[in-house]
Amino acid sequence: MAELVVPPSGESVPFRFDAVVVGAGPAGSAAALALARAGRSVALVERGPFPGSKNVYGGVVYGRVLDPIVPRWWEEVPVERWVVRRSTMVVTGSQSLSVDYRTQTWGDAPYNGMTTLRARFDRWLADKAVEAGATLVTSTVATGLRRDARGRVAGVVTDRPDGELAASVVVACDGVNSFLAKEAGLLPRTAPEHLTLGVKEVLDLPPATIDERFGVGRTEGVDMEVLGGTGGIAGGGFLYTNTASVSVGAVLSLPQLAASGTRPEAVIAELKAHPTIEPLLRGGRLREYSAHLIPEGGYDTMPPLAADGLLVAGDAAALTLAAGIWLEGVNFAIASGWAAGQAAARALASGDCSAAGLASYRADLEGQFVLADHKRFRAAPGLVLSDRVQNRYPEMLCDLVEQLFTVANPEPKPGGWQVLRRTAARHGIPLRQLAADALRAARIFG
Amino acid sequence: MSADPSVARPLRAPVRSRHGGAVYPAQSFEERMAAVEFRVGTRPHITVDAAVCRSCTTKACVSACPADLFAPTADGGILFNYEQCFECGTCYQVCNGAGAITWTYPDGGHGVVFHHG
């Protein structure tokens, strides 16, 4: 990895690059790669000792976004397992109802989703930027924005001695807490209502045990999402297979977690103890415990994506998609970072790095999945995190299926409508409410 | 108020599922955190203004922090430990008293190092 040499103390001239990218996560590395490929000098500043060291994700990286960036990426990407089974599970304390989909198509190139370890994946993508000519500067915090005489962003201040980096454009990919976007006035200092806390345990298990328990081959993996198992706190559980470990965790509404007084690890413990989940994890030894915030507010909570001399991408731009059955983030980070890097390169070429000069970034994102998906599912967070979807429907659904499949001889089988009416009534949900929510869901997802 | 790494954390009780079935063995929080690498810096990156905390009615940081870094004190303040921080930001986001918690990133190269994130 290229390292920045800090000028001797007393040197007043800052290092100058065409662009500075802050954060060597997937967004930042994609941005730096785009800038380097365009022939621009670019510094990629990472506060951790290596890219990925501060990062946590919750299940699947969808790789097709890499097609135009790294041809045949699947032959070299540090994958744990290719996801061939996707299971969405609705649970109560003692019941579970799963929709389990499997296809071997996802186990062949170009694949669909992969599980990975961010310490490896993020490093791999950062190395691509370095190979293209970007200067990776690790163990360095960008502590603030540097401004020119006219108040435009003109680089960053770092926590290295004399570590000011001058640049015509800064791409802030500094994550969910983005202090740079906050300093620029693009993000509020706090907005817990738009955030969830992800907590995760990685449990070591022998690869052969994982293959057997999940019914997959050595390179194949499973991703499971769980609704209803988070102790009444809005959010969801997740479980996915790595090569020699299983990751299990929960994503929790921050205000509801705070109000509940429940400790986050207690939610994971309860999830792990569920009768459907416990046998999958039995004997797993804790390898690592981690936590990270997730910006789940969606389209309506996104900051402006550009200011004079500044672009924002990835989690810093709240680009995590949490739309019920679609939970994606790394692909949105890569696509937005790549687009930001390209837009910055165009602005540099035209000599106009003002917000107007950088406006092609947003237009690019609107023309592809990044903003199209977010716009389409903008109302999803409200519905998905509602009390009915989180708590009452899981219980009602499980009861409904239990009624259908319980053979209560000598009682004759009840009709489907009768079971629905009875179950809804028992859970205090009027049928017109059910119909209204179904219509709402159809409008959001249809 | 200064950081206090000696804030005592109780052993968590064994976990029993709601239906009374599977039981996980008790795991102390120390054991849980021992699985995580921290390159502890000398500068505390969290500061807490205990005077503000004393008027806080929720003290949400105490239960919500996934690293269990905050503990209430007898006089209504908050004791904290910055050393085993995940750097998630939960504490300042849920903080009820404006300005009670100031939170920055640890110095470059320091803090949590995830290998399986």
Side-chain angles (χ1 to χ4, degrees):
Chain A
M1 280 175 201
E3 270 288 330
L4 186 74
V5 180
V6 176
S9 196
E11 180 79 56
S12 59
V13 180
F15 268 92
R16 174 140 206 111
F17 291 87
D18 291 330
V20 172
V21 178
V22 180
S29 290
L33 179 56
L35 279 152
R37 288 233 182 114
R40 291 294 166 179
S41 66
V42 52
L44 177 57
V45 181
E46 164 60 43
R47 69 186 184 91
F50 56 85
S53 55
K54 303 291 183 184
N55 296 348
V56 182
Y57 83 123
V60 185
V61 173
Y62 296 94
R64 293 304 299 278
V65 67
L66 288 163
D67 286 354
I69 303 172
V70 184
R72 302 187 75 76
W73 51 271
W74 55 83
E75 291 174 352
E76 52 175 291
V77 73
V79 60
E80 289 285 300
R81 289 175 184 257
W82 300 105
V83 175
V84 297
R85 261 187 72 196
R86 227 204 110 138
S87 187
T88 301
M89 197 191 292
V90 175
V91 303
T92 69
S94 61
Q95 302 159 297
S96 69
L97 169 66
S98 293
V99 176
D100 191 309
Y101 183 70
R102 183 191 186 116
T103 172
Q104 291 309 109
T105 306
W106 292 348
D108 291 317
Y111 305 97
N112 182 50
M114 72 187 113
T115 62
T116 184
L117 305 176
R118 295 293 298 278
R120 293 185 192 154
F121 181 86
D122 291 15
R123 215 173 335 198
W124 170 77
L125 198 56
D127 282 346
K128 292 283 156 203
V130 171
E131 284 163 25
T135 301
L136 175 64
V137 189
T138 57
S139 299
T140 302
V141 182
T143 51
L145 295 167
R146 194 175 171 273
R147 302 221 178 234
D148 66 13
R150 289 161 58 186
R152 296 172 305 196
V153 173
V156 297
V157 181
T158 78
D159 66 347
R160 289 191 175 216
D162 300 321
E164 235 175 76
L165 297 174
S168 302
V169 60
V170 172
V171 187
C173 306
D174 51 340
V176 59
N177 283 300
S178 184
F179 290 113
L180 296 186
K182 286 175 184 177
E183 184 184 329
L186 305 179
L187 270 182
R189 195 185 81 86
T190 60
E193 65 278 18
H194 302 143
L195 296 171
T196 57
L197 173 67
V199 282
K200 178 168 87 171
E201 289 183 7
V202 179
L203 306 170
D204 279 345
L205 280 171
T209 304
I210 295 172
D211 300 349
E212 273 176 34
R213 287 185 187 175
F214 292 90
V216 291
R218 186 58 46 88
T219 61
E220 297 171 346
V222 178
D223 170 50
M224 303 170 91
E225 316 288 347
V226 185
L227 178 65
T230 45
I233 301 165
F238 62 86
L239 189 162
Y240 61 90
T241 55
N242 306 305
T243 305
S245 61
V246 175
S247 300
V248 58
V251 171
L252 305 166
S253 149
L254 208 47
Q256 289 194 29
L257 172 69
S260 74
T262 306
R263 292 216 34 88
E265 74 276 8
V267 179
I268 305 185
E270 178 121 337
L271 202 63
K272 283 163 62 183
H274 190 279
T276 305
I277 296 170
E278 189 273 335
L280 301 172
L281 305 175
R282 197 171 289 162
R285 208 177 56 82
L286 184 67
R287 163 65 57 177
E288 193 172 81
Y289 171 52
S290 55
H292 212 281
L293 289 181
I294 310 167
E296 290 205 4
Y299 190 81
D300 296 322
T301 67
M302 280 175 198
L305 300 176
D308 290 340
L310 181 69
L311 288 174
V312 188
D315 276 8
L319 281 168
T320 309
L321 183 74
I325 55 175
W326 293 287
L327 302 160
E328 304 171 23
V330 175
N331 52 336
F332 281 82
I334 293 171
S336 61
W338 181 248
Q342 289 182 318
R346 281 192 297 270
L348 284 162
S350 73
D352 178 9
C353 290
S354 69
L358 293 165
S360 71
Y361 171 48
R362 189 177 180 100
D364 185 348
L365 297 186
E366 277 171 352
Q368 55 163 314
F369 75 94
V370 177
L371 283 180
D373 286 356
H374 267 288
K375 202 167 183 177
R376 181 160 175 215
F377 299 126
R378 66 197 297 173
L383 178 65
V384 171
L385 296 178
S386 71
D387 172 56
R388 284 192 302 281
V389 170
Q390 285 289 324
N391 301 310
R392 297 169 68 191
Y393 288 160
E395 289 174 1
M396 197 195 93
L397 262 174
C398 285
D399 270 1
L400 186 84
V401 175
E402 185 159 325
Q403 303 281 313
L404 283 175
F405 291 150
T406 300
V407 179
N409 296 157
E411 289 285 316
K413 293 198 191 308
W417 275 113
Q418 190 190 346
V419 173
L420 178 64
R421 270 199 310 274
R422 260 197 336 226
T423 313
R426 193 164 50 244
H427 289 269
I429 297 166
L431 281 179
R432 64 187 142 69
Q433 180 73 69
L434 206 55
D437 282 339
L439 189 66
R440 193 171 157 205
R443 282 202 185 118
I444 293 169
F445 298 108
Chain B
M1 176 157 298
S2 64
D4 180 0
S6 67
V7 175
R9 298 194 193 87
L11 191 74
R12 305 285 152 186
V15 172
R16 198 174 294 275
S17 68
R18 267 177 284 181
H19 64 104
V23 173
Y24 279 87
Q27 182 185 44
S28 75
F29 209 83
E30 281 80 0
E31 287 172 311
R32 168 181 294 278
M33 297 306 284
V36 191
E37 185 189 346
F38 294 97
R39 300 184 186 174
V40 180
T42 50
R43 180 184 69 88
H45 64 284
I46 306 171
T47 61
V48 176
D49 185 343
V52 179
C53 298
R54 272 187 278 274
S55 64
C56 175
T57 52
T58 63
K59 294 191 170 49
C61 57
V62 173
S63 60
C65 168
D68 204 5
L69 298 180
F70 300 84
T73 58
D75 67 347
I78 290 283
L79 264 181
F80 75 101
N81 167 8
Y82 75 93
E83 295 182 353
Q84 295 196 315
C85 174
F86 289 132
E87 300 156 38
C88 66
T90 294
C91 56
Y92 81 87
Q93 289 283 352
V94 302
C95 183
N96 195 36
I101 297 177
T102 45
W103 195 94
T104 57
Y105 293 129
D107 294 339
H110 293 94
V112 72
V113 179
F114 292 126
H115 296 275
H116 291 72

